[in-house]
Every structure is written in C-alpha cells, then in structure tokens.
Amino acid sequence: MPERTRTAERYARALAAAVAAVGCLLLAANAGPAAPDGASAPASPPAADTAPDLDGPATVDG
C-alpha cells in the first residue's frame, strides 16, 4: 500500500504547480507574431478640429 503524503508536502506540490502554471500563462500571453518588416510607429491621433465654434457668441461687422 502506498505511503500517505504529508499535508505540507501536498501544499508544496500544489504551490509549485500553481507557480509553474502562472509562468506558462505569462509566457503564452506575451508570445505573438513579430511586427512585419515594414511596420512603422502607430498612427498619430487625428488633427484637432479647426472648424469655427458655431455655438459661441456671434459678432457683427459694422
């Protein structure tokens, strides 16, 4: 009959398995295709709107 393992030994094995699983998940999450050779920097945000403010006070030339 197999010998029973100690509780501390079971917890140590479980902790080691959890650490290994988290390490594998982190490696898998960071693994991805490399950027293509012609890749450039991310696109810049669109230019600010330069249209006149139609809700502002009206001026009369006069």
Side-chain angles (χ1 to χ4, degrees), residues 8-31:
E9 186 178 345
R10 286 186 295 182
Y11 280 117
R13 286 182 183 177
L15 179 63
V19 169
V22 168
C24 288
L25 288 173
L26 287 174
L27 287 173
N30 288 325

Side-chain angles (χ1 to χ4, degrees), residues 44-50:
S44 61
D49 190 356
T50 56

Side-chain angles (χ1 to χ4, degrees), residues 3 5 8 12 14 19 22-24 30 34 36 38-40 42 44-47 50-51 53-54 58-60:
E3 182 180 327
T5 57
V19 169
V22 168
C24 288
N30 288 325
S40 62
S44 61
T50 56
D53 185 12
L54 299 178
T59 56
V60 178

